[in-house]
Amino acid sequence: MDGFHSAQTIAYPDPSATARRHDEEDVPPFVIVLFGATGDLARRKLLPGLAYLHVSQLAPDVRIVGSSLEELSGEEFRELVRQALDEFADESLTDEQWVEFSRRLSYVPQPAGAQALRQAVVAAGEELGVEAGQVQWLHYLSVPPRAASAVVTTLKEAGLVENSRVIMEKPFGTDLASAVALNAEVHQTFDESQIFRIDHFLGKEAAQNILALRFANGLFEPIWNRNFIDHVQIDVPEDLGLDDRAAFYEPTGAFKDMVVTHLFQVLAFVAMEPPTALEPRSISEEKDKVFRSMEPIQPTDVVRGQYVGYRDEKGVARDSDTETFIAVKVAIDNWRWAGVPFYLRTGKKMAAGQRIISVAFKEAPRSMFRPGSGIGTEGPDHLTFDLADESRLSLSFYGKRPGPGMRLEKMSMQFSTAETDDSDDVLTAYERLILDAMLGDHTLFTTADGIETLWERSIPLLENPPAAKPYPVGSWGPNAVHQLIVPHAWRLPFEREWRG
């Protein structure tokens, strides 16, 4: 889970100074049906994001129908939303903005059934002034995977499928068989074009900046291949623990929770071929080609770990072998990447919370510098993407240290979106992805074929996982993780800090 900023005293931007609603793109108004509206994700991310999209006028006109298992009145739900915004929104609403936003909120308990849900959604559509047959519905399933099937059935019984889109949260199955079954079940109700499988990592500015840097610059695209790149690291350690999620985490683990649904998706952005156009279908095709080119994940290329004390957590089995840490060596068997290893690492309760992609370039074929000059002492040149909210980028290289003689040291050029004139326009990942779903843009979402391919490539690991090795809380994982990456070394911890 991303870190969250406490609410500030400044108000949302004046709509007159920001983007207008998408009238010029002929985007109709939307009724957004938020299932799991009282849950943690909704309170921390979705409700604050929806408030920002509305008040900033980045989204079309909306009405929001919340639904969950709790028996709440409309007024009680609005009070819950107000508390969520006060606690988790980056910026506070003024009293006038809250009054205007709150009148767009309504609520219907899930136990009330399909017809009660339909009545609430139709009533919200009437408030938009749109005829029944022209209403656009966006259903956000912020529910556990086991509950998704029941929600889809309810939507079908309520007649809320036509002219609708559905956002589904991860994980998308737990293995190949369950992913195929889930996709087949959902496809009985929704067409693939209606389904938006969300991965909030791909909604981050830094992740999208990978595409911009690769395909918009003649400096990088010619060297983005096995001839110049030595290896790639995608490293997402977390300093957080379970946060009372043992019921979810015990049967899931780090690989299913993070690698299949997040890190593999980021890998595809790094490794994909240039799409024929910067449009959803072309990008999805190139991502899926990467997944099909991945060699099966062998247990010998994996290190699993479990932090000391995990088995003492509430809801965790005393003999649990669930991994809270995993490192994976991935090979992509295609012309561009043959022989270039991709190293992926993630885990709970580690030394720091970071989200980096590090591209290590090959060293010069011959060094003319004398021994002791410093060349090679701090590893190869790196291009580093920081996927955190700061959206930073660094290019490190060897340069001459000022002074007499030829003494070399690592230097870096760094960039952050905070330095740009448009830094205030940055959307959070969920804001961006919800807006894209309303616009019908699948670019940053995953496909059924892609998910199934990833589970298929994971079969050797899932069938024969190596034992989880213990690691201390606050460390960088089990010691075996260093043997996995030999002769290279992990970039984290960094040899230098990001500049402020």
Side-chain angles (χ1 to χ4, degrees):
M1 180 69 68
D2 294 336
F4 304 105
H5 302 289
S6 59
Q8 303 174 12
T9 57
I10 55 178
Y12 280 111
D14 179 356
S16 64
T18 59
R20 295 292 181 181
R21 302 209 187 279
H22 290 267
D23 296 336
E24 68 278 6
E25 298 184 27
D26 195 28
V27 179
F30 268 85
V31 174
I32 299 175
V33 187
L34 178 56
F35 294 94
T38 62
D40 188 64
L41 176 61
R43 293 173 56 251
R44 290 176 178 267
K45 289 293 188 180
L46 304 182
L47 292 168
L50 289 168
Y52 178 78
L53 288 175
H54 170 72
V55 175
S56 65
Q57 293 198 358
L58 290 170
D61 197 12
V62 300
R63 292 294 186 275
I64 300 167
V65 179
S67 184
S68 70
L69 296 176
E70 284 77 5
E71 294 283 349
L72 300 178
S73 66
E75 189 57 38
E76 289 173 329
F77 177 62
R78 282 185 281 273
E79 179 59 28
L80 180 147
V81 175
R82 184 66 186 267
Q83 293 175 359
L85 300 186
D86 289 342
E87 186 174 358
F88 298 114
D90 288 340
E91 299 173 346
S92 300
L93 273 69
T94 65
D95 290 340
E96 293 79 10
Q97 288 172 334
W98 164 248
V99 170
E100 203 276 335
F101 178 66
S102 66
R103 68 181 182 85
R104 299 170 181 274
L105 303 172
S106 59
Y107 184 83
V108 57
Q110 278 181 242
Q115 292 310 309
L117 176 65
R118 179 175 179 81
Q119 291 173 8
V121 172
V122 170
E126 291 174 348
E127 293 177 7
L128 289 169
V130 180
E131 295 182 7
Q134 299 176 335
V135 173
Q136 290 286 308
W137 299 314
L138 178 64
H139 309 302
Y140 197 121
L141 275 58
S142 179
V143 298
R146 62 181 180 274
S149 177
V151 173
V152 170
T153 299
T154 298
L155 290 172
K156 184 176 182 179
E157 293 174 350
L160 298 175
V161 174
E162 189 177 357
N163 295 326
S164 73
R165 294 163 186 162
V166 57
I167 298 178
M168 299 189 66
E169 278 285 344
K170 57 96 175 175
F172 313 107
T174 56
D175 54 21
L176 178 59
S178 61
V180 170
L182 176 61
N183 283 327
E185 185 175 5
V186 175
H187 285 157
Q188 291 178 1
T189 302
F190 292 97
D191 183 78
E192 178 67 15
S193 64
Q194 296 176 278
I195 303 170
F196 293 77
R197 297 172 186 82
I198 195 168
D199 173 14
H200 73 271
F201 268 49
L202 298 189
K204 294 177 177 291
E205 284 285 335
Q208 298 165 58
N209 214 17
I210 299 170
L211 300 181
L213 183 135
R214 284 194 57 190
F215 301 131
N217 297 286
L219 174 64
F220 291 106
E221 180 54 27
I223 62 172
W224 209 264
N225 55 60
R226 69 187 189 283
N227 296 320
F228 298 94
I229 292 178
D230 184 76
H231 68 279
V232 178
Q233 297 180 30
I234 302 175
D235 207 353
V236 187
E238 297 180 292
D239 54 5
L240 301 176
L242 294 188
D243 291 335
D244 297 322
R245 297 170 67 228
F248 163 78
Y249 204 83
E250 257 292 85
T252 306
F255 182 75
K256 297 176 181 178
D257 181 41
M258 289 291 294
V259 177
V260 175
T261 52
H262 292 323
L263 273 62
F264 280 160
Q265 303 300 327
V266 175
L267 181 150
F269 268 21
V270 176
M272 64 188 281
E273 294 296 318
T276 55
L278 198 65
E279 53 89 19
R281 181 176 179 180
S282 296
I283 291 177
S284 294
E285 286 176 349
E286 297 304 333
K287 285 174 56 186
D288 289 352
K289 287 179 184 177
V290 173
F291 301 147
R292 291 194 294 270
S293 298
M294 285 173 51
E295 295 186 356
I297 307 300
Q298 301 299 332
T300 53
D301 291 329
V302 175
V303 174
R304 296 171 70 244
Q306 186 184 93
Y307 66 76
V308 176
Y310 172 77
R311 296 180 181 181
D312 298 326
E313 300 272 9
K314 182 179 179 181
V316 174
R318 294 297 172 259
D319 60 348
S320 173
D321 190 53
T322 297
E323 80 279 358
T324 62
F325 168 96
I326 192 161
V328 184
K329 179 181 178 182
V330 178
I332 300 177
D333 187 18
N334 63 19
W335 190 268
R336 183 182 292 265
W337 296 111
V340 178
F342 286 71
Y343 299 100
L344 283 55
R345 177 173 67 167
T346 186
K348 297 286 189 184
K349 289 197 174 182
M350 297 181 68
Q354 299 279 347
R355 293 169 175 81
I356 73 154
I357 303 169
S358 181
V359 179
F361 294 99
K362 291 186 175 180
E363 298 185 40
R366 179 181 180 277
S367 175
M368 67 186 72
F369 300 97
R370 61 176 176 79
S373 65
I375 187 71
T377 57
E378 297 183 75
D381 302 337
H382 284 89
L383 178 64
T384 303
F385 298 86
D386 184 354
L387 298 184
D389 292 337
E390 293 86 352
S391 185
R392 297 177 295 198
L393 181 70
S394 173
L395 179 62
S396 67
F397 52 90
Y398 285 96
K400 181 183 178 301
R401 178 189 296 176
M406 182 59 76
R407 180 70 179 173
L408 305 179
E409 65 181 7
K410 262 297 180 69
M411 302 178 178
S412 67
M413 295 185 292
Q414 298 186 7
F415 162 81
S416 171
T417 54
E419 302 170 0
T420 69
D421 293 337
D422 299 321
S423 60
D424 291 339
D425 295 339
V426 174
L427 297 177
T428 69
Y430 282 102
E431 290 165 358
R432 170 65 186 266
L433 293 170
I434 292 172
L435 180 59
D436 281 356
M438 283 192 278
L439 299 176
D441 187 342
H442 279 84
T443 301
L444 302 177
F445 296 87
T446 57
T447 67
D449 288 343
I451 289 296
E452 291 176 9
T453 300
L454 289 174
W455 285 121
E456 190 272 332
R457 295 295 185 267
S458 303
I459 288 176
L461 172 61
L462 297 177
E463 291 184 343
N464 188 28
K469 303 176 183 294
Y471 65 95
V473 170
S475 70
W476 291 101
N479 288 331
V481 73
H482 301 294
Q483 282 72 53
L484 178 70
I485 202 172
V486 167
H488 314 296
W490 292 99
R491 291 295 314 286
L492 290 177
F494 276 135
E495 67 272 11
R496 70 186 59 76
E497 295 294 330
W498 289 95
R499 290 194 291 271

